[in-house]
């Protein structure tokens, strides 16, 4: 199976084969075929030996994770956000070569997409950029990224990162450091439910009005009289306490934040019956899992699944005795990073869930060495990188590097690839100081458990019908454009309808598809780059069918983001940064490029005949062009309607039916309009003089007309054609990085106010783990951070940073 997964040509088929029967990782709210199959196969053995259940083959569960390395985490309006995408196999953390497109969005606090882009992926890598409009509003935004295959999964597993964007041309509402308007507290019962009569561990988070976790204490009061328990925060405003809710009692919470002004809060309402879950450390090498259930259910089976959304490690069944069942798990069998522990009831419905974190022991060591620690302005910085395993062996690595000005407005980005993949990717909200949870500081285990109780809280509602068959296929060649056909008269879907999709241009793209029983199309595209116009048109029932194209970006609710604040003491520094941005914009020379494509032919390959009309006498009508220049295409007229017939070269005769006629890739069915078209606008005509098999269609030849600009040259499309603006894969923007090779260049009066000195998204260390890089400093003085992130060939993750000074 591993050999097959390394074979790119077979990846798509493996995904489809295994995913339909194994979907536990995609929707945990419902136990699916694979889990039930495991439980049924081993069910009889489990009756006598509950722990004899064996886990499923972990390699059957194929899932992606995305990490974006950005050049920094705080920007001014007018700057460019540069990012490198790593798409990883969630089971091994190695780069995963399955998807060819990545969807990246910048989302504001209301959940609106401020900027969107599709990024081309190659062997699990890609890079792109967003130019922030000068009029962009100040605030905290969310950078979000996912593949089409990930859209089958819960959206909480998308990549998310909070970015601060400041528009200094609009004066913000200045705040002081200690300006706090209010406080709030949130409670999270372990396992999802607070059940009457059971002691439950209650996680909590105390926040100020800016969304920051703060220290504080509190008390739980029963029936307005007795203090049941007290609690206090441990780290970053989070903590936990044990609480037993009685059936006939009322409870309230008194919270004392740092300013001493107490406020009253409420606990989640306890449920009269249900399931509760308790997870504890049972020594250095094991953990205990206890399931509690209300009601008279002694002898009833409960199931434990251990793994994650992509990897089922263990499945086991126990029977309730005095409303309890328990397991002891060896930590050695747990995956590195986040593990998911799910309890299923006797009907095999999930009822409780809890996360457990195992610190990773597999690391990528990155060493950064510069030829100096201090540099003059407009001088060269030489860097030597080395990548090694945690055992000291060199390992080839894919890396990205950024060098940016570090001050009170822009500090080191706290998000590193290993911290995100192993921890933050499974949690919700913003994680303060994620590096802390990877340390060995005193109390870190308890603080980590509090983090998982709060940001990893799960609760099952057992509502909704979730299909185990994925709706979105992996985009192995390029973006898959989904559309739906509706009958205009009946309003019902149109099944078994053939439709053409085209992206006109000098390098046009065309394809076709047939609608399913729900009237849905899936058009597989390839090498569609940049903005343009997309056309979709039906072949049958053209006047009766309406086709709508689905938005490829996922509509989501507003993100959970910290409030935007900026302190007035930073006003002068902000003004200086804004001036730097203005000067850099004037000096910036934007360059865009297409990737080097191996196949630049049209979908029909090399035509049998190709006619560049400027090489011939230019005739005033299209009818004359076809008769005098384009050989092996016969023009016929019947009942005032023109038809074309192409020559069937292999058989030496003409076809009896119309060929596929294209103009800049758009199918043309009304040949009369084409005959009336100005031939001087046509640059070339290609002819395929043979039967052509195109997806599910068999076509009697092809006649392809191409205009000079690839823009249809004013040809009026049929009303049945849907034409929409469409942004294809993002063109690659070149990072502006001047080079100073001599004194004349260094003394140039052209200002260089770059605050990001280097952005290198595609750095590769060789077989010895070495790579040599260089860049030049600008006129900006100060401390600059060099931040490197990477993925080793063996799937090890790593990051490193150092600081240099420009004097």
């Amino acid at each position: 199976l591993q050999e097959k997964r390394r074979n790119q040509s077979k990846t798509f088929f493996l995904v489809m084969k295994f995913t339909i029967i194994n979907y536990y990782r995609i929707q945990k709210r419902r136990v699916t075929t694979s889990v039930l199959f495991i439980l049924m196969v081993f069910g009889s053995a489990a009756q006598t030996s509950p722990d004899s259940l064996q886990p499923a083959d972990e390699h059957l569960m194929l899932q992606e994770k995305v990490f974006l390395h950005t050049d920094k985490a705080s920007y001014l309006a007018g700057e460019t956000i540069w990012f490198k995408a790593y798409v990883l196999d969630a089971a091994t953390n190695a780069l995963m070569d399955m998807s060819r497109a990545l969807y990246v969005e910048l989302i504001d606090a209301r959940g609106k997409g401020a900027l969107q882009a599709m990024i081309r992926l190659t062997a699990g890598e890609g890079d792109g950029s967003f130019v922030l409009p000068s009029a962009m509003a100040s605030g905290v935004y969310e950078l979000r990224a996912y593949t089409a295959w990930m859209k089958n999964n819960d959206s909480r597993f998308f990549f998310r990162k909070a970015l601060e964007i400041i528009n200094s041309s609009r004066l913000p509402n200045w705040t002081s450091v200690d300006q706090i308007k209010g406080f709030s507290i949130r409670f999270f019962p372990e396992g999802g439910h607070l059940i009457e009569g059971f002691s439950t561990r209650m996680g909590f988070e105390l926040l100020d009005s800016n969304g920051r976790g703060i220290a504080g204490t509190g008390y739980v009061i029963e029936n307005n009289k007795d203090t049941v328990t007290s609690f206090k925060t441990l780290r970053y405003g989070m903590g936990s306490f044990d609480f037993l809710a009685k059936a006939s009692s009322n409870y309230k919470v008194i919270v004392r934040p740092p300013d001493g002004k107490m406020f009253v809060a409420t606990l989640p309402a306890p449920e009269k019956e249900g399931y509760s879950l308790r997870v504890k450390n049972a020594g250095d090498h094991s953990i205990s899992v206890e399931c509690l259930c209300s009601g008279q259910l002694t002898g009833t089976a409960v199931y434990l699944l251990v793994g994650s959304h992509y990897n089922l490690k263990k499945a086991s069944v126990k029977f309730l005795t005095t409303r309890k069942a328990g397991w002891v798990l060896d930590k050695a069998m747990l995956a590195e990073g986040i593990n998911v522990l799910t309890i299923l009831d006797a009907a095999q419905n999930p009822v409780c869930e809890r996360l457990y974190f195992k610190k990773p022991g597999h690391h990528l060591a990155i060493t950064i060495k510069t030829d100096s620690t201090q540099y003059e302005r407009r001088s060269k910085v030489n860097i030597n990188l080395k990548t090694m395993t945690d055992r000291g062996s060199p390992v080839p690595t894919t890396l990205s590097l950024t060098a940016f000005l570090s001050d009170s407005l822009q500090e080191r980005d706290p998000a590193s690839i290993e911290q995100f993949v192993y921890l933050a990717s499974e949690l919700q909200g913003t994680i303060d100081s994620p590096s802390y949870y990877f340390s060995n500081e005193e109390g870190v285990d308890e603080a980590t458990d509090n983090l998982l109780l709060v940001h990893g809280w799960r609760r099952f509602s057992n509502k909704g019908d979730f299909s185990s068959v994925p709706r979105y296929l992996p985009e192995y060649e390029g973006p898959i454009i989904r559309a739906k056909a509706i009958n205009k008269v009946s309003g019902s879907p149109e099944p078994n309808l053939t439709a053409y999709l085209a992206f006109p241009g000098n390098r046009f793209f065309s394809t076709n598809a047939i609608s399913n029983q729900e009237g849905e199309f899936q058009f597989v595209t390839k090498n569609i780059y940049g903005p343009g116009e997309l056309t979709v048109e039906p072949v049958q029932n053209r006047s009766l069918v309406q086709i709508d194209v689905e938005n490829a970006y996922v509509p989501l609710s507003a993100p959970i983001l910290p409030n935007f604040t900026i302190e007035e003491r930073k006003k002068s520094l902000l003004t200086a940064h804004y001036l730097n941005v203005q000067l850099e914009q004037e000096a910036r020379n934007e360059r865009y490029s297409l990737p080097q494509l191996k196949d630049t032919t049209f979908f029909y390959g090399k035509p049998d005949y190709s006619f560049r009309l400027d090489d011939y006498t230019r005739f005033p009508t299209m009818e004359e062009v076809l008769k005098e220049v384009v050989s092996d295409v016969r023009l016929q007229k019947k009942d005032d309607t023109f038809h074309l017939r192409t020559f069937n070269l292999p058989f030496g005769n003409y076809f009896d039916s119309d060929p596929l006629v294209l103009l800049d890739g758009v199918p043309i069915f009304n040949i009369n309009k084409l005959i009336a078209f100005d031939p001087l606008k046509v640059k070339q005509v290609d002819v395929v003089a043979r039967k052509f098999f195109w997806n599910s269609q068999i076509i009697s030849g092809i006649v392809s007309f191409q205009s000079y600009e690839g823009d249809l040259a004013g040809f009026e499309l049929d009303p049945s054609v849907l034409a929409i603006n469409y942004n294809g894969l993002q063109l690659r923007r070149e990072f502006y990085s001047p080079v100073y090779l001599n004194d004349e260049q260094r003394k140039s009066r052209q200002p260089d106010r770059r605050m990001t000195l280097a952005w290198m998204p595609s750095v590769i260390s060789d077989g010895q783990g070495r790579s040599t890089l260089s860049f030049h400093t600008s006129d900006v003085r100060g401390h600059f951070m060099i931040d490197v992130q990477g993925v080793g060939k063996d799937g090890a993750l790593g990051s490193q940073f150092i600081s240099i000074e420009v004097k």
Side-chain angles (χ1 to χ4, degrees):
L1 182 60
Q2 288 292 342
E3 288 298 321
K4 289 181 180 179
R5 290 180 65 180
R6 294 189 188 100
N7 188 332
Q8 296 180 11
S9 64
K10 295 181 181 179
T11 300
F12 174 83
F13 299 100
L14 285 171
V15 170
M16 295 312 301
K17 177 180 178 181
F18 293 131
T19 301
I20 292 175
I21 65 167
N22 207 328
Y23 203 62
Y24 167 71
R25 69 203 184 286
I26 293 177
Q27 279 294 357
K28 292 191 206 55
R29 300 184 190 181
R30 185 145 182 149
V31 179
T32 55
T33 308
S34 64
V35 178
L36 296 179
F37 176 77
I38 295 167
L39 297 174
M40 286 188 292
V41 169
F42 295 98
S44 58
Q47 298 296 322
T48 56
S49 179
D51 290 314
S52 64
L53 257 135
Q54 299 296 318
D57 185 341
E58 66 185 51
H59 298 295
L60 300 184
M61 306 183 191
L62 207 58
Q63 186 56 273
E64 296 169 311
K65 276 191 178 182
V66 173
F67 175 76
L68 294 190
H69 180 201
T70 59
D71 61 315
K72 50 187 181 178
S74 181
Y75 299 86
L76 294 182
E79 285 193 292
T80 300
I81 299 175
W82 301 92
F83 54 85
K84 164 68 179 286
Y86 297 90
V87 182
L88 309 177
D89 183 335
T92 65
N93 291 336
L95 290 169
M96 189 171 185
D97 188 14
M98 183 172 74
S99 296
R100 290 292 185 272
L102 181 72
Y103 299 87
V104 184
E105 300 180 82
L106 191 66
I107 310 295
D108 64 19
R110 299 169 299 170
K112 304 296 183 181
L115 296 169
Q116 296 175 325
M118 283 191 298
I119 305 301
R120 174 70 175 182
L121 295 173
T122 304
E125 297 180 69
D127 62 273
S129 59
F130 284 134
V131 177
L132 300 176
S134 298
M136 197 164 193
S138 297
V140 179
Y141 291 74
E142 182 175 86
L143 186 65
R144 182 182 299 164
Y146 48 89
T147 65
W149 181 245
M150 291 173 67
K151 292 196 292 188
N152 294 303
N153 204 340
D154 195 299
S155 62
R156 68 172 177 264
F157 299 118
F158 292 177
F159 173 83
R160 299 168 184 267
K161 179 179 181 179
L163 298 179
E164 186 178 71
I165 298 174
I166 306 171
N167 190 332
S168 52
S169 63
R170 300 179 183 177
L171 288 178
N173 295 320
W174 304 107
T175 64
S176 62
V177 178
D178 57 355
Q179 183 177 343
I180 305 297
K181 297 179 181 179
F183 304 92
S184 62
I185 190 169
R186 300 186 296 172
F187 296 99
F188 305 88
E190 184 175 18
H193 303 274
L194 177 63
I195 309 298
E196 290 180 353
F198 289 149
S199 179
T200 302
R201 189 178 178 198
M202 184 73 71
F204 68 89
E205 184 177 34
L206 181 60
L207 303 170
D208 64 20
S209 58
N210 296 321
R212 293 189 294 249
I214 55 172
T217 58
Y219 307 89
V220 179
I221 307 299
E222 182 180 12
N223 296 328
N224 296 320
K225 295 179 180 179
D226 300 326
T227 298
V228 176
T229 187
S230 63
F231 57 86
K232 64 179 180 178
T233 57
L234 181 62
R235 292 295 292 259
Y236 311 117
M238 291 177 288
S240 62
F241 59 91
D242 290 337
F243 174 64
L244 191 152
K246 298 177 182 179
S248 58
S249 297
N250 297 315
Y251 300 93
K252 67 179 179 179
V253 179
I254 308 298
V255 183
R256 186 188 296 275
D259 66 351
K261 296 179 181 178
M262 295 188 296
F263 67 93
V264 179
T266 57
L267 286 169
E271 302 172 37
K272 294 186 178 300
E273 59 183 32
Y275 290 80
S276 180
L277 176 64
R278 191 68 183 264
V279 177
K280 298 178 182 179
N281 275 312
D284 295 334
H285 305 291
S286 60
I287 62 173
S288 68
V289 180
E290 186 178 49
C291 173
L292 304 173
C293 179
S294 61
Q296 302 299 321
L297 297 175
T298 299
T300 302
V302 288
Y303 302 88
L304 172 68
L305 301 182
V306 182
S308 68
H309 69 288
Y310 61 85
N311 186 346
L312 183 62
K313 284 286 189 180
K314 180 181 179 64
S316 178
V317 60
K318 288 287 181 77
F319 301 95
L320 293 169
T321 57
T322 62
R323 303 192 298 175
K324 295 181 181 180
W327 294 262
V328 176
L329 304 178
D330 188 347
K331 291 181 181 179
M333 58 82 60
L334 300 176
E336 293 185 338
I338 293 289
N339 290 266
V340 183
L341 295 88
T342 307
I343 297 293
L344 288 69
D345 63 14
Q348 298 165 354
N349 295 312
V351 290
C352 290
E353 193 164 86
R354 174 78 154 81
L355 302 186
Y356 181 83
F357 179 69
K358 178 182 174 181
K359 289 181 184 177
H362 190 35
H363 300 282
L364 173 70
I366 302 175
T367 304
I368 310 173
K369 289 187 177 180
T370 57
D371 52 353
S372 178
T373 58
Q374 295 182 340
Y375 296 87
E376 296 181 353
R377 66 185 188 92
R378 302 194 181 191
S379 61
K380 188 176 183 179
V381 179
N382 294 305
I383 301 175
N384 289 313
L385 295 179
K386 191 168 184 179
T387 55
M388 306 184 73
T389 66
D390 46 11
R391 296 182 179 180
S393 303
V395 57
T397 303
T398 299
L399 304 154
S400 49
L401 178 147
T402 178
F404 58 89
L405 179 65
S406 178
D407 55 24
S408 61
L409 275 179
Q410 177 65 64
E411 300 176 352
R412 187 198 177 216
D413 188 350
S416 68
I417 188 169
E418 67 270 29
Q419 293 161 12
F420 174 80
V421 171
Y422 283 122
L423 182 64
S425 62
E426 310 286 343
L427 306 178
Q428 300 187 66
T430 303
I431 311 302
D432 293 320
S433 302
S435 60
Y436 166 74
Y437 301 100
F438 291 77
S439 70
N440 293 317
E441 294 185 29
E442 184 178 355
V444 69
D445 291 341
E446 183 181 355
T448 302
D449 222 33
N450 292 335
L451 173 73
L452 300 181
L453 283 171
V454 173
H455 289 272
W457 187 72
R458 314 284 179 89
R459 180 188 178 98
F460 291 109
S461 64
N462 291 324
K463 295 179 180 179
D465 182 19
F466 301 101
S467 172
S468 62
V469 179
R471 183 169 187 260
Y472 298 95
L473 299 177
E475 295 180 328
Y476 189 70
E477 294 188 38
I480 296 177
I481 298 175
R482 299 173 60 90
K484 187 169 185 177
I486 299 294
N487 188 292
K488 295 179 182 179
V489 177
S490 65
S492 58
E494 280 282 338
N496 303 316
L497 182 73
T498 300
Y500 292 115
L501 177 143
F503 191 74
N506 287 323
R507 297 168 62 179
F508 67 78
F509 175 85
S510 298
T511 190
N512 59 14
I514 297 177
S515 61
N516 61 17
Q517 292 303 308
E518 288 73 39
E520 297 173 337
F521 299 96
Q522 296 195 75
F523 297 99
V524 180
T525 69
K526 186 178 181 180
N527 298 332
I528 293 182
Y529 285 89
E533 188 174 64
L534 191 75
T535 66
V536 184
E537 57 183 312
V539 175
Q540 312 97 353
N541 304 329
R542 294 170 59 83
S543 61
L544 298 177
V545 172
Q546 174 182 321
I547 297 180
D548 297 315
V549 174
E550 180 181 301
N551 186 357
Y553 297 92
V554 178
L556 296 174
S557 58
I560 302 173
L561 295 170
N563 293 335
F564 174 74
T565 59
I566 184 166
E567 299 160 18
E568 190 168 7
R569 63 186 177 86
K570 297 180 180 180
K571 184 175 182 179
S572 60
L573 184 60
L574 184 60
T575 301
H577 278 220
Y578 180 64
L579 178 60
N580 288 339
V581 172
Q582 295 289 89
L583 292 173
E584 185 188 353
Q585 283 180 317
E586 294 178 6
R588 186 188 302 163
N589 183 16
E590 294 283 333
R591 294 183 180 180
Y592 300 86
S593 61
L594 277 169
Q596 295 295 324
L597 302 176
K598 295 181 180 179
D599 183 8
T600 58
T601 60
F602 299 123
F603 72 91
Y604 50 76
K606 184 179 180 180
D608 293 304
Y609 306 102
S610 187
F611 303 93
R612 294 181 60 85
L613 298 189
D614 286 340
D615 295 340
Y616 301 86
T617 300
R618 296 306 304 248
F619 293 95
T621 67
M622 190 66 76
E623 186 173 357
E624 292 175 287
V625 170
L626 290 170
K627 289 180 178 179
E628 302 295 338
V629 178
V630 182
S631 59
D632 292 323
V633 175
R634 181 177 292 175
L635 181 65
Q636 299 177 346
K637 189 175 184 180
K638 183 179 180 181
D639 297 332
D640 294 328
T641 301
F642 283 101
H643 297 273
L644 296 182
R645 296 289 184 268
T646 58
F647 192 69
N648 190 353
L649 194 60
F651 292 91
N653 57 10
Y654 282 89
F655 286 106
D656 294 329
S657 56
D658 291 326
L660 175 65
V661 181
L662 306 172
L663 175 59
D664 292 332
V666 179
I668 305 298
F669 293 95
N670 190 336
I671 305 302
N672 285 21
K673 291 180 65 175
L674 183 66
I675 296 300
F677 190 58
D678 184 357
L680 296 179
K681 296 181 178 180
V682 178
K683 177 183 68 173
Q684 183 171 317
V685 181
D686 290 343
V687 178
V688 177
R690 63 187 68 239
K691 188 169 289 187
F692 187 80
F693 295 86
W694 192 27
N695 295 336
S696 60
Q697 284 191 295
I698 302 174
I699 299 169
S700 300
I702 299 173
V703 183
S704 175
F705 296 82
Q706 299 166 42
S707 68
Y708 285 91
E709 301 298 330
D711 58 357
L712 299 176
F715 185 86
E716 185 179 353
L717 296 175
D718 190 270
S720 63
V721 179
L722 171 67
I724 60 173
N725 292 327
Y726 182 79
N727 285 317
L729 296 165
Q730 188 181 70
L731 295 171
R732 200 169 191 272
R733 181 181 285 107
E734 183 178 324
F735 179 77
Y736 172 66
S737 182
V739 176
Y740 301 103
L741 301 177
N742 51 53
D743 288 341
E744 182 180 354
Q745 291 175 335
R746 281 189 285 271
K747 294 178 181 178
S748 169
R749 295 174 62 86
Q750 175 69 38
D752 181 358
R753 306 300 298 178
R754 289 173 297 129
M755 293 182 291
T756 300
L757 300 181
W759 170 248
M760 302 178 186
S762 303
V763 179
I764 304 293
S765 65
D766 59 21
Q768 300 301 313
R770 299 181 185 275
S771 183
T772 302
L773 313 166
S774 64
F775 59 85
H776 284 77
T777 62
S778 66
D779 297 337
V780 178
R781 297 171 176 83
H783 290 274
F784 287 81
M785 193 72 69
I786 299 176
D787 182 11
V788 179
Q789 312 266 354
V791 180
K793 187 178 180 180
D794 59 349
L797 310 173
S799 62
Q800 189 56 270
F801 66 97
I802 64 169
S803 179
I804 62 172
E805 184 180 8
V806 179
K807 307 187 75 175

